Amino acid sequence: TVEDIKVVKTPIAILAAEIDKTTPPELVKEFSTILDSREEVESFVNIYPGVAHGWTVRYDVDDEEAVRRAEEAHGKTLEWFEKHLS
């Protein structure tokens, strides 16, 4: 929720789907605006176009674009973990 984002104290990454009823892009953009204003909290926010919620684990392995998007998100996630958890 917006209230949760306003009180985040640790680094946060949000890899969002363009097609998502739970966390629609408009809400993610609001999260991003809030996080951008909080210089003390490192954040990464990205909305992936043309994908639905769960796209990083539920995709057609024969769809090259779907595979590319999932691999990109996996890479960003691993980079984030390495930077903040190692």
Side-chain angles (χ1 to χ4, degrees), residues 5-65:
I5 295 297
K6 287 179 179 179
V7 297
V8 167
K9 294 183 174 123
T10 59
I12 184 171
I14 301 173
L15 286 74
E18 179 182 37
I19 306 162
D20 192 336
K21 293 179 183 176
T22 304
T23 312
E26 298 77 21
L27 181 57
V28 175
K29 289 175 186 174
E30 193 172 349
F31 292 168
S32 183
T33 299
I34 293 166
L35 290 166
D36 287 347
S37 72
R38 302 192 57 225
E39 294 179 13
E40 73 280 9
V41 177
E42 186 172 350
S43 63
F44 172 79
V45 179
N46 193 28
I47 300 171
Y48 288 81
V51 297
H53 183 91
W55 89 99
T56 63
V57 294
R58 295 187 307 258
Y59 57 91
D60 179 356
V61 296
D62 295 323
D63 181 338
E64 289 181 21
E65 185 61 20

